[in-house]
Structures are given as structure tokens and as C-alpha cells.
Amino acid sequence: MTDMPISTAPKRSLYAQDARTKKRNRAETRFRVYGMAAVITGIIALIVLLTSILGNGLSAFQQTYISYPITLSEDRLDPEGNRDPAEMAAVTTFGYLPVIAMSLQQHLEAEGIDPGMGGRELAAMLSEEAPAQIRAMVLANPELVGTTIDAEILVGGRIDGFFKGRVTMESAERDRNVSPAQLVLAQQLAELGMMETRFNWDFITWPDASGSRPEAAGLGVAIIGSFYMMLVVLALALPIGVAASIYLEEFAPKNRLTDLIEVNISNLAAVPSIVFGILGLAVFINFMNFNQSSPLVGGLVLTLMTLPTIIIATRASLRAVPPSIRQAALGLGASKMQSIFHHVLPLAMPGILTGTIIGLAQALGETAPLLLIGMVAFVREYPDFLSTHSNTFPLMGDGATALPVQVYSWTQRSDPAFVERASGAIIVLLVFLLMMNLIAILLRRRFERRW
Amino acid sequence: MEGSNMNDMSQIDQGVAVDTLKMRARGVDVYYGDNHAIKEVDVDIADKTVTAFIGPSGCGKSTFLRVLNRMNDTIDICRVEGDVTLEGEDIYDPKVDPVQLRAKVGMVFQKPNPFPKSIFDNVAYGPRIHGLAQNKADLENIVEKSLRRAALWDEVKDRLTAPGTGLSGGQQQRLCIARAVATSPEVLLMDEPCSALDPIATAQVEELIDELRSRFSVVIVTHSMQQAARVSQKTAFFHLGNLVEFDDTDTIFTNPSDPRTESYITGRIG
Ligand SMILES: Nc1ncnc2c1ncn2[C@@H]1O[C@H](COP(=O)(O)OP(=O)(O)OP(=O)(O)O)[C@@H](O)[C@H]1O
Ligand SMILES: [Mg+2]
């Protein structure tokens, strides 16, 4: 019986592929092609996205300045002549505008340059922010009044756009805000070295500016707001999320109630973020009377939104720890807590960190719920989040704005220069996300090295 | 039939040598949901003896072993009934904390399960959480002694900081034995400790078991008749959740009273 062959098929050579093998190989090749096509599509989409954003936004980190001597005449800026900053503050930016405009005109005359336009048109080349720049400089140092300073001030958004290729002679013909003559003069000044487009940090550090001066709009307030909100999210969502996951995964009895909780958490992760905004509005602002658009309220709303992500990731990584590790610890007489905190949690840490950072990244880029809690306000000054003036808790007083909200509000403005600003803000947002992912990877490495 | 037999025997045992009885199980039933895995089992574990559990796969040896240190508590669907005592104290009493019990009744698992930590930390873990070492030197001493006991010291003494998971399967199992020994349990439960070991390591572990017997009782589950015959003084034969026969090892292997035992040890069932 044992020496009888199982089948009596004719002997086949190994060199010839039979039909089944051929079919299998063809299927495998097809599958590889599909996979490759999917990956390539993804890469192309990414490249298109990045080139579009970088192409539009990189110029936001550059700004055009004009430098020339400005004579700060005493009778305009300090009529009393006592250099008292309090009294000098009475002179508004409108008082400074003629000063810098006159100085420009005089300087061009002295240099023998014919502007080819009137004084009003010449002054319109400067940024509306320029008088404010000089005013701040003077108020900080009243002794400057009466002297001539070599100042570097912003030029208007259209002139700036000309050097960045956004504004051309043809478009200037049709534009009420800029004339070809201004562009010709700008070109001339740039060749003389008076006007220069260069990198600067102001885009990162300055607060937002009004719709008519895109060249002065910065991300500083939005970055600070986002930073404080991330702190709130991290401080609340990580401990709450991890504690909830450990309880649900390791301690909670498996019954109807915990099943229900589990289903609900999974569903919460899929709830549109705007719903969390409505919840935040109802609970934190209408019911608890927190200051609307304060970073604490924003952080709380984002925490609500991030918690399900963190809980799901943490539970998955806890579940991935082999049960033999728990048994080993329990078998040695470790308590449940000890087995979890000494053995299970360190092994689950990389997964928990990844989940947390994904959650944070999601929160960092979230706009809708923040709009709902009123974080659309135009924040012109750096808010003083940490002070407790008017008896509020830190982070609960002044209103904040956040990076994605800033992107949103800039895209709403009419001046095309804000497209550049918005793209620049997106670049900053992406850089932050990359940095967070980098931190995640580094932390994972650190924890994984301990096996 | 065996049940009454057992009771008679244990009563005699108790009469003569109460102090040598370490653990005592009476009328133990274990259910996994509706699966009745252990049926009315009575076993006495004597002090300073090696007791072997033998039987075909799936007969409930591991399950019964886990009854003895309440590791079954960690399985949700598992339900244990009956009386189990350690030195006269009911280990299933509500007042008993299983954590304290497991410090006294240690366990080595079927599959090696070292912690993903260093070799040193693996062995030192038990002494650390139970506060067995006064200082660092003391702890190092315990670790070295335990590793020597488990016949692993010479192989790992130069790389105590290397990960325990980086050892070979057999070395990992000996590491787990060293780890269990380091907590100085009174009873050591071993579930097929040698199934991953080569004959030399097996001989070393058997030697270790024999040595451990001088200090505490050992319960070992094994699929090797020879091993049971070599290391144990008492042998329990399980079949389909029943304890078929429990007697001196010599008696079981030379003169079994139940025909099922005989067919199993001669290789006819299993
Ligand atoms: N965690 C569990 N959940 C459900 N049923 C289980 C579980 N563990 C064991 N059983 C069942 O209990 C019975 C006894 O299993 P046990 O593991 O005790 O057998 P064993 O004698 O140790 O077998 P082996 O020699 O193969 O290790 C089997 O029918 C098994 O299916
Ligand atoms: Mg088993």
C-alpha cells in the first residue's frame, strides 16, 4: 500500500511552466502593477500639492523694503518739544505719513531721480504699515526726534508683488491700486539698491494685519495660539486618553456596558469635527461661560476631538502586547498594576506616542470647531495669555487665533497678496507637522531601543 | 471510583504526615464556559517532592496547574469550583490576594516568555517587586545564584545587560526558570519546561528540579514518560479532564492500577 504512487500524472519538466503556474504569476504581476500605480498616483498628487504650495507660499518669507534717510521733524512729531512719550503718542500714524513721504521725495530729488509722478502717488508706493513702523521706533526712543535716521521700511503689497512676479506692467494698467509709473520707479530704485527683496522673520513673528496691508501680515499670534492649544490638548488628552484606554483594555469587565462604550468611542472618532465645535460652544461658552475664543476653550474642544484617536491607538497598541508578557509578570506575583506599568505600557509606548502625535497633528490642523467657538476674530496685538488680569485663569482671558484659522481668514480676503500669505502659513503648518512627526519617530526609536 | 480511592489514601496520608502536605485539592472542577475541562479532581502536593502531571494533549494538565496558583483568574470565561489549600489555607478564599499567592506559588510557562528587558532585569524583577534584596550587592547575588541554579550562568555571565529576548529558545526557558526561582517560591509549577530544550539542557533542568526539591515542592507537567520517571516521586495521570490515577511514580510506571494508565505509559493512547 505504501509503495503505490498517489497519482499517476505524467512526469513534467521543472523547466516548463504549467498553465496554473502561469496564471498565478500573471495575477501576481497584475497585482504589483496596480500597487505601483497607486503609489505613483499618490506621489504625483503629493508633488503637485507641494509645488503649488511652495510656489505660492515661499515668497511670503521674503519681503521688499525701501531704505532712505528719514528726517523726523520735531514740529510734526513732538509739537511740545518735551520728548514725553505719553504726549508724543497723541500723534497718530496719520501724522507720520507726511514725514516719511516728504523724506522720500526729498531724497529722490537729492539723488537726482525723477519720480515721474506726484507726491501722493509716490507715497502710495509705501506700505500703510510704514508710518506705524516709524512711529513705534520713535516712541521707543524719543531722542530720535529732530534727527535724520537711515530707516528701512516696508513697501506696499503691489510693489512687493512686482518683485515677486505677481504684479506685471500689464496687470498694473488695470489695477486701481498701482500704476505702471510706480513699477518703473520701483525697478529703478531696486537697481540703485534702495529697494531690496530679502528673507525676514517678520512673517513668522508679526501679528496679523488688516486687509489693505498684506505685506505686514504675520503669523506670530496664530503660532502662539496654536502652541498654547496644543499644550492644553497634550496635557489633557494624553493622560485622560491613556488612563481610559488602560482601564477599558485591562481592568474593565467585558460586558454590555463596556461594549457600548467601545462602539461609542469608535463612532466618536468618526464624528465630524464641527460637531465638537458645537458641543464646545454649548458647554464651555454658553453653559460654563468661558471666554469665547480663548486658547483654553480652543484646547478643550480640540481635546474632545483628539481623545477618541488617542484612545483607539492606545487600546490597539495595548492589545498588541503579547499576553505571555502579562502572564509572566502575574506568575511572578506582580499585581495587575505592576504588570501593566512595568511591562505592558513600555511595550505599548511607541504605538501610544504615534497615536498621540497623530491626534495632535489632527488638532493642529483643525479649523471648523475653532471657527464655531468664535476664533475668527482679527487679532492685531499679541494677546497676554498668561496674565490673570480681570480675574481670569491663564489661557482664559484674551482671544486667540490658530494657524489653520489664520489660513482660512487670509483666503477670505480680497487682496491677492493674501494668497501668498495663506500659502506661506500652510508651509509653516506643514513644517510644524513634520517636526511633530520627527519627534514621534525619535521618541519611538528611544522607546524601541529598550525593546 | 478513583475519587473515593483517593480520599481514603489522603486520609491515611494526613494521619501519618500532616506537616509534609503542601497543597491539597479536593473536588476541583474547572469550566471554560460550557466546556467542563477538569472533573472532580483530588490531588495532594507533598512538600519537598516533585509531582509530575502526565496525560494526553488537551486532558487538562495545564488547566489544573493553573488552578494551583489561580492563574485561571486571568481567563475571563474560566470558572473554578472545589477546595484548594496551601498549608491549610484556602487559596480561593475571598480574603486571599492572588498576587500574594503567586509570590509563594511560582510558575514557569510552556512557552518561554522572558520580558523584553535585560537578562539581569528579568531575573531581578521578582526580588525587586517583592523587596527580597536589601541592596544592590544582595540583588546581584540573588541573580547570580538563580542563574546558576538554572544552569545558565556560564552562558550569560558576560552579557547580563543584553536583552533576554535575544537568547536562544532553550536559554530563554532557563532564564524563565531562573526568574521564577529568584522569588524563592514555596511551590514551583512548571508547564512542560523542557519542551523547547535540547537533551543537555533538559538534563541540566532535570538536575535543577531535583536540587530544587530540597527546598520546595515542584509540580511539573511533561509529555515525556522518561522525564516523569526520572525526576518525580509522585505522578498524576489525567485523561479527558479526569484524574485517572495518582500514586508514587514507581507504582504508576511499574504497576499501574488503571488499565488506561497502563495503555498511556506504554504508548497505546494519547
Ligand atoms: N484559555 C482557554 N479557553 C478555553 N478553553 C481552554 C483554554 N485553555 C484550555 N482550554 C480547554 O481546556 C481543555 C484542557 O486544556 P489544557 O490546556 O489544560 O490541556 P493540556 O493537558 O495542558 O494539553 P497540552 O498537553 O496540549 O498542553 C482543552 O479542551 C482546552 O481546549
Ligand atoms: Mg498544556
Side-chain angles (χ1 to χ4, degrees):
Chain A
M1 189 183 146
T2 42
D3 46 312
M4 210 155 70
I6 294 173
S7 89
T8 50
K11 182 173 155 32
R12 270 198 240 103
S13 162
L14 270 180
Y15 295 131
Q17 287 187 1
D18 59 19
R20 282 178 76 88
T21 315
K22 275 194 195 127
K23 197 172 157 205
R24 239 178 357 225
N25 289 350
R26 272 200 307 276
E28 195 174 317
T29 316
R30 265 199 312 276
F31 184 76
R32 273 190 212 193
V33 170
Y34 296 153
M36 229 131 67
V39 171
I40 289 172
T41 316
I43 289 176
I44 290 175
L46 186 68
I47 289 174
V48 169
L49 182 77
L50 281 184
T51 34
S52 136
I53 289 174
L54 291 180
N56 276 324
L58 272 184
S59 54
F61 297 91
Q62 300 215 320
Q63 209 52 59
T64 308
Y65 296 89
I66 181 169
S67 44
Y68 60 91
I70 295 176
T71 308
L72 303 167
S73 66
E74 178 168 6
D75 41 322
R76 275 185 181 277
L77 305 183
D78 188 16
E80 308 289 325
N82 54 13
R83 301 288 185 272
D84 177 2
E87 277 181 37
M88 284 160 63
V91 181
T92 63
T93 51
F94 291 110
Y96 281 80
L97 182 59
V99 172
I100 60 174
M102 292 276 278
S103 294
L104 178 58
Q105 215 163 4
Q106 281 159 9
H107 180 68
L108 291 183
E109 255 166 50
E111 294 280 314
I113 303 167
D114 174 21
M117 64 186 89
R120 186 177 280 271
E121 204 178 344
L122 185 64
M125 286 176 71
L126 300 173
S127 166
E128 285 178 32
E129 185 71 16
Q133 270 181 294
I134 298 298
R135 179 171 181 262
M137 213 183 273
V138 169
L139 289 186
N141 184 6
E143 297 309 318
L144 289 177
V145 173
T147 65
T148 299
I149 56 169
D150 252 324
E152 188 176 56
I153 56 179
L154 281 168
V155 301
R158 291 299 198 286
I159 306 294
D160 180 49
F162 173 60
F163 289 106
K164 292 172 179 172
R166 193 172 57 234
V167 176
T168 60
M169 292 292 175
E170 294 82 65
S171 72
E173 305 265 5
R174 286 174 268 116
D175 197 337
R176 269 192 316 115
N177 294 312
V178 67
S179 68
Q182 287 176 323
L183 297 185
V184 171
L185 179 63
Q187 185 68 41
Q188 201 180 351
L189 293 179
E191 276 155 19
L192 287 173
M194 265 177 74
M195 226 181 243
E196 187 192 14
T197 308
R198 59 176 171 77
F199 174 81
N200 71 92
W201 288 107
D202 297 344
F203 179 57
I204 306 283
T205 55
W206 276 9
D208 193 9
S210 68
S212 59
R213 43 185 117 168
E215 64 279 358
L219 279 174
V221 174
I223 290 176
I224 294 269
S226 278
F227 172 75
Y228 279 123
M229 278 185 259
M230 289 304 106
L231 275 191
V232 172
V233 174
L234 192 65
L236 292 178
L238 184 63
I240 296 178
V242 171
S245 318
I246 291 178
Y247 177 75
L248 285 174
E249 200 54 45
E250 309 278 347
F251 291 97
K254 303 270 173 286
N255 56 26
R256 283 265 176 77
L257 185 66
T258 47
D259 281 351
L260 192 72
I261 291 176
E262 169 143 23
V263 169
N264 276 308
I265 289 175
S266 308
N267 283 338
L268 275 184
V271 164
S273 55
I274 197 153
V275 176
F276 288 103
I278 296 175
L279 180 73
L281 181 66
V283 174
F284 300 125
I285 296 176
N286 290 345
F287 178 68
M288 289 163 90
N289 276 324
F290 284 179
N291 211 345
Q292 67 165 337
S293 81
S294 66
L296 187 71
V297 173
L300 286 173
V301 169
L302 294 178
T303 301
L304 290 180
M305 205 197 77
T306 318
L307 264 177
T309 313
I310 293 184
I311 292 180
I312 289 173
T314 306
R315 291 189 67 180
S317 45
L318 286 176
R319 229 172 291 156
V321 174
S324 65
I325 296 290
R326 283 165 244 251
Q327 283 175 1
L330 293 178
L332 283 176
S335 68
K336 202 153 184 170
M337 275 279 277
Q338 285 173 327
S339 88
I340 290 166
F341 281 91
H342 296 166
H343 302 290
V344 177
L345 212 48
L347 288 177
M349 218 45 177
I352 296 176
L353 286 177
T354 314
T356 306
I357 299 216
I358 289 175
L360 275 187
Q362 212 181 341
L364 181 63
E366 200 52 71
T367 327
L370 297 184
L371 295 181
L372 268 190
I373 57 161
M375 239 183 231
V376 259
F378 166 60
V379 186
R380 183 68 188 92
E381 299 289 333
Y382 265 93
D384 190 4
F385 292 135
L386 295 181
S387 84
T388 55
H389 55 76
S390 64
N391 296 329
T392 52
F393 196 69
L395 296 181
M396 271 185 56
D398 289 338
T401 185
L403 274 171
V405 174
Q406 191 71 75
V407 172
Y408 168 77
S409 64
W410 280 348
T411 53
Q412 298 298 298
R413 297 195 187 162
S414 53
D415 194 319
F418 278 110
V419 174
E420 171 205 85
R421 297 276 140 178
S423 300
I426 291 173
I427 293 175
V428 172
L429 194 57
L430 288 182
V431 167
F432 280 139
L433 292 179
L434 282 182
M435 274 175 2
M436 284 164 74
N437 279 325
L438 199 71
I439 293 172
I441 292 171
L442 290 180
L443 285 175
R444 280 171 71 157
R445 286 261 176 82
R446 215 190 100 56
F447 277 102
E448 267 167 9
R449 210 171 285 157
R450 301 220 237 121
W451 335 288
Chain B
M1 173 217 145
E2 303 88 48
S4 57
N5 200 355
M6 294 302 324
N7 274 337
D8 297 342
M9 204 180 77
S10 63
Q11 268 151 19
I12 299 164
D13 264 7
Q14 267 187 318
V16 287
V18 177
D19 57 344
T20 64
L21 187 67
K22 193 74 187 174
M23 296 194 80
R24 178 184 142 106
R26 284 294 169 273
V28 173
D29 284 284
V30 182
Y31 303 85
Y32 290 110
D34 294 333
N35 177 9
H36 196 172
I38 292 287
K39 296 159 192 156
E40 286 294 311
V41 166
D42 301 343
V43 165
D44 289 320
I45 309 292
D47 200 8
K48 299 194 168 52
T49 14
V50 178
T51 309
F53 289 174
I54 59 171
S57 190
C59 66
K61 307 180 294 294
S62 300
T63 302
F64 187 72
L65 202 65
R66 287 198 299 263
V67 166
L68 298 178
N69 72 342
R70 292 186 60 174
M71 276 304 274
N72 281 332
D73 290 13
T74 62
I75 302 172
D76 279 338
I77 55 166
C78 185
R79 195 156 48 86
V80 178
E81 286 169 6
D83 291 324
V84 185
T85 59
L86 172 68
E87 291 182 325
E89 292 175 331
D90 181 6
I91 66 169
Y92 282 89
D93 191 280
K95 286 197 289 287
V96 171
D97 186 343
V99 169
Q100 261 174 313
L101 169 71
R102 289 179 202 137
K104 290 184 170 199
V105 185
M107 186 157 195
V108 175
F109 295 84
Q110 196 162 347
K111 267 189 284 179
N113 54 358
F115 298 127
K117 294 179 186 292
S118 74
I119 294 173
F120 184 91
D121 286 341
N122 260 283
V123 183
Y125 184 66
R128 272 188 186 134
I129 59 171
H130 297 302
L132 299 183
Q134 309 304 320
N135 50 43
K136 203 158 173 288
D138 213 8
L139 189 64
E140 280 164 10
N141 195 20
I142 294 178
V143 170
E144 178 177 343
K145 261 206 306 214
S146 310
L147 284 169
R148 277 189 194 286
R149 282 248 177 79
L152 190 61
W153 176 251
D154 290 329
E155 286 159 70
V156 301
K157 62 171 183 276
D158 301 322
R159 46 171 176 154
L160 290 176
T161 52
T165 37
L167 297 172
S168 79
Q171 288 172 327
Q172 287 187 14
Q173 187 62 302
R174 278 178 283 154
L175 179 63
C176 293
I177 295 175
R179 186 175 67 185
V181 169
T183 46
S184 312
E186 296 171 19
V187 180
L188 186 59
L189 310 176
M190 302 174 116
D191 195 346
E192 294 179 47
C194 299
S195 57
L197 301 189
D198 68 74
I200 297 174
T202 304
Q204 284 167 335
V205 171
E206 284 177 6
E207 217 169 283
L208 159 72
I209 292 171
D210 205 52
E211 194 211 309
L212 294 177
R213 181 163 69 92
S214 62
R215 321 223 286 130
F216 33 75
S217 27
V218 178
V219 183
I220 178 172
V221 171
T222 177
H223 277 291
S224 155
M225 300 304 121
Q226 293 88 339
Q227 184 170 57
R230 278 196 301 267
V231 300
S232 70
Q233 288 78 51
K234 290 273 194 180
T235 297
F237 171 60
F238 288 81
H239 188 235
L240 299 176
N242 295 303
L243 179 66
V244 175
E245 195 166 349
F246 179 43
D247 213 329
D248 287 339
T249 301
D250 290 341
T251 319
I252 295 263
F253 280 96
T254 53
N255 187 20
S257 53
D258 194 290
R260 286 173 292 180
T261 316
E262 191 178 355
S263 17
Y264 181 70
I265 59 175
T266 54
R268 264 176 282 144
I269 58 170

